[in-house]
Amino acid sequence: MENFRLQIPTDIRFGKDRLAELPEVLAPLGKRVLLTYGGGSIKKSGLYDKVTQILKDSGFEWVELAGIEPNPRIESVREGTKLIRENQLDVILAVGGGSVVDASKVMAAAVYYDGDAWDLVKDSSLIGQAVPIVDILTLAATGTEMNRNAVISNMATNEKLGTGGWELIPRASFLDPTLTFTVSKWQTAAGSADMMSHLFEQYFNRTQGVDVQDSIAEGLLKTIIKHAPVAIQEPENYIARANLLWSSTLALNGLVARGRNGGWTCHPIEHELSAYYDITHGIGLAILTPRWMKFCIDTDPTTHAKFATYARNVWGLTQGSDEELARQAVEKTYHFFRDQLEIPMILSEAGIESQELVREMSEKAVLHGNLGQNIFVTLDVDDVESIISASFEAMETF
Amino acid sequence: MENFRLQIPTDIRFGKDRLAELPEVLAPLGKRVLLTYGGGSIKKSGLYDKVTQILKDSGFEWVELAGIEPNPRIESVREGTKLIRENQLDVILAVGGGSVVDASKVMAAAVYYDGDAWDLVKDSSLIGQAVPIVDILTLAATGTEMNRNAVISNMATNEKLGTGGWELIPRASFLDPTLTFTVSKWQTAAGSADMMSHLFEQYFNRTQGVDVQDSIAEGLLKTIIKHAPVAIQEPENYIARANLLWSSTLALNGLVARGRNGGWTCHPIEHELSAYYDITHGIGLAILTPRWMKFCIDTDPTTHAKFATYARNVWGLTQGSDEELARQAVEKTYHFFRDQLEIPMILSEAGIESQELVREMSEKAVLHGNLGQNIFVTLDVDDVESIISASFEAMETF
């Protein structure tokens, strides 16, 4: 286990019917609010009306930034920063999924930065002070509600990059499972695949002696595997939604990451797919993940032991050699995504029909994701190309 | 899953060789320090010299309170409060195990309370503001380093009671596994049993749909079961000490508790043993726990399913009915404490030779611990008496 620092001051308000607590949470941060949200689903669901009524009744003033995209764009970030400056706003209230929170984080930091907000995405060391953020989450997926990270897209340059800073950690997050009842099957599946991928990125790692962190990752994976199919079949099952929501938060708040070294793999590759084709992030991850697992097992026998541990502790598999268990676990993972989460497990069915940009995306992935060093299995451009290419065919062998 | 609030602002500095960070952590809290510690082991180990040298070199002034007891006494708390007031100190630096931190927490709160510190132990609602606390932990056990709780003893009244408050959460905790290398086999075993008991108290609970919390509890239990025997056999095994230390912190920082209702059982009973006989807390817990488990299984068939889940997910047992699995798990637990942790599993070998006070302790346990309501299996005085009495004989059947 490596040395680490962990400090997560976010005030988590988990559960149903807690919006009445919003004024007491916001008030110490200021009276002038930037209300950020996405494409209007919060208007359809009635959440917008509830939140603005509470703001009004408690004497807050607010300005709105609507229309923040999935795979949030740098243009939205710039617009938010401008609104905060022009209206001298004190605090951001982000209402929506991870995209709304991520865009809010970077606009919060850009207020204190003289140059263009995109600089902060390309170089997180430029991020310092930030406007405080409170969020009301409506989608279980990214974990941004309890961490310092944000991912922003620049469609002009085909770039989707991660950044972060301590001051970006939300001050408070309202996590109400009932707000996720209306999340579609597709987005529930994508969110569940995203949180599983966050756990895989941290779990498949070379640092030794991290049993605390690994056992938490295994527990969260088992919880997601149990509850995601229930949430897809019964969208208003409170227990399933609550377990998914809390799993998504804990999967990426530092508990599983701290004490290890090493970078991520499938996320950087998927970011290129999203940057070029704007496909749903979690769907891209679900498709890439089993191909990446098989690639590791095929090319690097030193990975078999960890995949076998995953097979035993997450899937309850017991029979076979480490390599056999590893391959059974890949099959389980693939079939879970395909049959339980109902994800189309081929890129051509997920919005990427042509393979003509695969080489270019592979080059960018290696570059942006530093895939040539310090990850579970290092990858060169040919390796990434073979993983993406394999994602255009159904898997028959594992 | 029940609604919950979680906010743990403690700045965790985990790992070896981090004491150089002490000035940057302390400075924002003040320049005048109360240094609290226990019976002198930190002088033997050289930690005292290191810490005071750093304080001196960085221009801090300090006053010392030495000799805080295991099962810390209210007299030490009163003395600390007096020192803080008389010397107008800004911050407490607690160096030691859970007892030193717990005593520091209550003295920190008593500074802002007009009456006697014991009032704050008997009624936590009287706790408000508190002097900030930073700790350097030397023993993996209680989890106090990342929570709001404290347990204080009053030998004059034979009372050992828990209290707590949000302002008592340490601002920063230095968790260095190498500082636990010198912890004796006995204290390592007791600390491991204590953290396991914390997990049992939360895990054996009637709230449904808490898979996130339960799977974290199971993961931490497996981690402790793996690493505690290693730490006992190889006291300087860094990985074993690191996993035990981080498990002890996470076992009681809210992650496993939040989202449930329900009180504790073995801790309140053990507190009476410690209050009357001053025995080592974790040893008392190890002895009581399997008797309590057997009592639940013998008297309440509705507990079998949860004990069977414990058997499967923690001990990897697979064969038998729920009741059979439950009884196998009790046997595993008992033998683990006896054979792996080398704990004498009979009260008469742990410092309580006479049974004459068993009835009185049972009455107090039911009263102080509210054992008659809202716990996994409610207990009356006769029930507690039978559990304590069974702890005077070796277990032969499970």
Side-chain angles (χ1 to χ4, degrees):
Chain A
M1 198 185 296
E2 303 290 332
N3 284 8
F4 65 86
R5 182 178 175 198
L6 180 75
Q7 187 178 32
I8 325 166
T10 309
D11 183 355
I12 296 288
R13 307 281 176 127
F14 192 98
K16 51 191 165 189
D17 302 327
R18 303 194 70 149
L19 281 185
E21 300 165 27
L22 188 57
E24 87 186 37
V25 169
L26 277 178
L29 305 173
K31 275 297 194 186
R32 296 178 60 77
V33 177
L34 177 67
L35 177 64
T36 58
Y37 53 99
S41 66
I42 68 163
K43 291 199 170 164
K44 255 182 276 168
S45 70
L47 179 59
Y48 172 87
D49 288 339
K50 280 188 206 163
V51 169
T52 52
Q53 190 64 49
I54 288 169
L55 291 177
K56 196 182 299 173
D57 291 348
S58 303
F60 290 90
E61 294 176 63
W62 75 95
V63 174
E64 298 188 13
L65 176 66
I68 294 174
E69 310 79 8
N71 295 323
R73 313 284 171 87
I74 189 63
E75 290 80 7
S76 295
V77 172
R78 293 185 185 123
E79 176 67 14
T81 301
K82 196 164 151 249
L83 287 173
I84 294 169
R85 285 179 173 153
E86 286 179 357
N87 297 282
Q88 299 189 295
L89 304 177
D90 306 313
V91 53
I92 302 176
L93 176 59
V95 184
S99 298
V100 175
V101 180
D102 279 9
S104 299
K105 285 178 172 181
V106 181
M107 64 184 78
V111 170
Y112 291 94
Y113 176 70
D114 271 344
D116 178 40
W118 186 245
D119 299 348
L120 307 183
V121 180
K122 297 198 86 157
D123 181 0
S124 64
S125 73
L126 299 173
I127 293 180
Q129 206 180 339
V131 173
I133 297 164
V134 170
D135 62 84
I136 300 170
L137 205 70
T138 61
L139 184 72
T142 75
T144 188
E145 61 275 12
M146 205 177 178
N147 70 35
R148 34 172 277 158
N149 307 319
V151 178
I152 303 295
S153 291
N154 188 336
M155 301 312 279
T157 59
N158 282 332
E159 287 177 301
K160 177 176 176 177
L161 301 175
T163 187
W166 288 105
E167 296 299 321
L168 306 190
I169 301 175
R171 302 299 179 93
S173 292
F174 286 82
L175 307 182
D176 181 347
T178 69
L179 296 179
T180 68
F181 283 178
T182 53
V183 174
S184 68
K185 281 190 182 200
W186 175 263
Q187 286 296 346
T188 301
S192 301
D194 190 20
M195 53 185 106
M196 288 175 72
S197 180
H198 293 155
L199 292 162
F200 294 145
E201 300 279 15
Q202 301 169 87
Y203 181 78
F204 292 107
N205 173 282
R206 300 277 178 175
T207 307
Q208 295 298 304
V210 286
D211 293 281
V212 171
Q213 294 88 335
D214 275 359
S215 71
I216 292 174
E218 290 163 354
L220 295 175
L221 282 165
K222 284 194 289 185
T223 301
I224 297 161
I225 289 165
K226 174 177 176 181
H227 288 289
V230 178
I232 284 171
Q233 295 308 321
E234 306 165 27
E236 303 203 357
N237 184 309
Y238 186 85
I239 285 178
R241 292 293 194 180
N243 277 281
L244 280 184
L245 183 53
W246 193 219
S247 292
S248 70
T249 305
L250 297 182
L252 203 51
N253 76 341
L255 278 179
V256 177
R258 293 299 191 283
R260 318 175 189 263
N261 281 322
W264 290 21
T265 305
C266 288
H267 267 69
I269 300 175
E270 197 293 320
H271 283 183
E272 300 309 323
L273 305 185
S274 289
Y276 279 79
Y277 293 96
D278 204 19
I279 72 170
T280 303
H281 175 55
I283 302 298
L285 289 168
I287 296 172
L288 289 169
T289 295
R291 278 80 178 193
W292 164 74
M293 288 178 167
K294 184 172 187 304
F295 178 89
C296 294
I297 296 165
D298 286 347
T299 61
D300 186 348
T302 69
T303 66
H304 295 176
K306 189 66 181 259
F307 280 107
T309 302
Y310 165 63
R312 288 186 198 97
N313 293 350
V314 175
W315 292 105
L317 300 166
T318 56
Q319 302 296 315
S321 67
D322 274 6
E323 180 176 349
E324 286 161 351
L325 282 164
R327 294 187 186 281
Q328 291 168 41
V330 180
E331 187 170 4
K332 282 276 188 190
T333 307
Y334 182 80
H335 287 152
F336 175 78
F337 286 142
R338 191 190 66 184
D339 304 334
Q340 303 281 303
L341 299 193
E342 302 176 15
I343 292 174
M345 288 296 287
I346 306 174
L347 282 177
S348 50
E349 294 179 8
I352 305 183
E353 280 169 33
S354 155
Q355 298 195 35
E356 66 183 316
L357 296 174
V358 169
R359 185 78 191 174
E360 187 176 330
M361 293 191 292
S362 303
E363 288 165 353
K364 289 273 188 74
V366 172
L367 180 71
H368 291 148
N370 273 315
L371 302 184
Q373 59 184 13
N374 194 28
I375 59 174
F376 188 58
V377 173
T378 57
L379 303 176
D380 63 21
V381 176
D382 287 345
D383 299 332
V384 176
E385 189 175 14
S386 82
I387 290 169
I388 301 179
S389 297
S391 304
F392 284 88
E393 299 283 338
M395 287 182 86
E396 306 284 349
T397 58
F398 298 92
Chain B
M1 197 184 297
E2 304 291 330
N3 284 8
F4 64 86
R5 183 178 175 197
L6 181 74
Q7 186 178 30
I8 325 168
T10 309
D11 182 355
I12 296 289
R13 308 281 176 127
F14 192 100
K16 50 192 165 188
D17 302 327
R18 303 194 70 149
L19 282 185
E21 298 165 27
L22 188 57
E24 86 186 37
V25 169
L26 278 178
L29 305 173
K31 273 297 190 186
R32 298 177 59 77
V33 178
L34 177 66
L35 178 65
T36 57
Y37 54 98
S41 67
I42 68 163
K43 290 199 171 166
K44 253 181 277 168
S45 71
L47 179 58
Y48 172 87
D49 288 339
K50 279 188 206 160
V51 169
T52 52
Q53 190 64 49
I54 288 169
L55 292 178
K56 196 183 297 173
D57 290 348
S58 302
F60 291 91
E61 294 175 65
W62 76 94
V63 174
E64 298 188 13
L65 175 66
I68 294 173
E69 310 80 7
N71 295 324
R73 315 282 171 88
I74 188 63
E75 290 80 6
S76 294
V77 171
R78 293 185 185 121
E79 176 68 14
T81 301
K82 194 162 154 252
L83 286 173
I84 295 169
R85 285 180 174 154
E86 286 179 356
N87 296 283
Q88 299 188 298
L89 304 177
D90 306 313
V91 53
I92 302 176
L93 176 59
V95 184
S99 299
V100 174
V101 180
D102 279 9
S104 299
K105 284 178 172 180
V106 182
M107 65 184 78
V111 169
Y112 291 94
Y113 177 70
D114 271 344
D116 178 40
W118 186 244
D119 298 348
L120 306 183
V121 180
K122 298 199 85 158
D123 181 359
S124 65
S125 73
L126 299 173
I127 294 180
Q129 206 181 338
V131 173
I133 297 164
V134 170
D135 62 84
I136 300 170
L137 205 69
T138 61
L139 183 73
T142 76
T144 189
E145 61 274 12
M146 204 178 179
N147 70 34
R148 34 172 276 156
N149 307 319
V151 178
I152 303 295
S153 292
N154 187 336
M155 301 313 279
T157 58
N158 283 333
E159 286 177 301
K160 176 177 176 177
L161 301 174
T163 187
W166 287 105
E167 296 299 320
L168 308 190
I169 302 175
R171 302 300 180 92
S173 293
F174 286 82
L175 307 182
D176 180 347
T178 68
L179 297 181
T180 68
F181 282 178
T182 52
V183 174
S184 68
K185 281 192 182 199
W186 175 262
Q187 287 294 347
T188 301
S192 301
D194 190 21
M195 54 184 106
M196 288 175 72
S197 180
H198 293 155
L199 293 161
F200 294 146
E201 300 279 16
Q202 300 168 90
Y203 181 79
F204 292 107
N205 175 281
R206 301 279 178 173
T207 306
Q208 295 298 304
V210 286
D211 293 282
V212 171
Q213 295 88 336
D214 275 359
S215 70
I216 292 174
E218 290 162 355
L220 295 175
L221 282 166
K222 283 194 290 186
T223 302
I224 298 162
I225 289 165
K226 175 177 175 181
H227 289 290
V230 178
I232 284 172
Q233 295 309 320
E234 306 167 27
E236 303 202 358
N237 184 308
Y238 186 85
I239 284 178
R241 292 293 194 180
N243 277 282
L244 280 184
L245 183 53
W246 193 218
S247 291
S248 71
T249 305
L250 297 182
L252 202 52
N253 76 341
L255 278 179
V256 177
R258 293 300 191 282
R260 320 177 188 259
N261 280 321
W264 290 21
T265 305
C266 289
H267 267 69
I269 300 175
E270 198 291 321
H271 282 181
E272 300 309 324
L273 305 185
S274 288
Y276 279 80
Y277 292 97
D278 205 18
I279 72 170
T280 304
H281 175 57
I283 302 298
L285 288 168
I287 296 172
L288 288 168
T289 295
R291 278 79 179 195
W292 164 76
M293 288 178 167
K294 183 173 189 305
F295 178 88
C296 295
I297 295 165
D298 286 347
T299 62
D300 186 348
T302 69
T303 66
H304 295 176
K306 189 66 182 261
F307 280 108
T309 302
Y310 165 63
R312 288 185 199 96
N313 293 350
V314 175
W315 292 105
L317 300 167
T318 55
Q319 302 298 316
S321 67
D322 274 6
E323 180 176 348
E324 286 161 352
L325 282 164
R327 294 187 186 281
Q328 291 168 41
V330 180
E331 186 170 3
K332 282 276 188 190
T333 307
Y334 182 81
H335 287 153
F336 175 77
F337 286 143
R338 190 189 67 184
D339 304 335
Q340 303 281 303
L341 299 193
E342 303 176 16
I343 291 174
M345 287 297 286
I346 306 173
L347 283 178
S348 50
E349 293 179 9
I352 305 182
E353 279 169 33
S354 155
Q355 297 195 36
E356 66 182 317
L357 295 175
V358 169
R359 184 79 191 174
E360 188 176 328
M361 293 191 294
S362 302
E363 287 165 353
K364 289 273 187 73
V366 172
L367 180 72
H368 291 148
N370 272 315
L371 302 184
Q373 59 185 14
N374 194 29
I375 58 175
F376 188 57
V377 173
T378 57
L379 303 177
D380 62 22
V381 176
D382 288 345
D383 299 333
V384 176
E385 189 174 13
S386 81
I387 291 168
I388 301 179
S389 297
S391 303
F392 284 88
E393 300 281 339
M395 285 181 88
E396 305 285 348
T397 60
F398 299 92

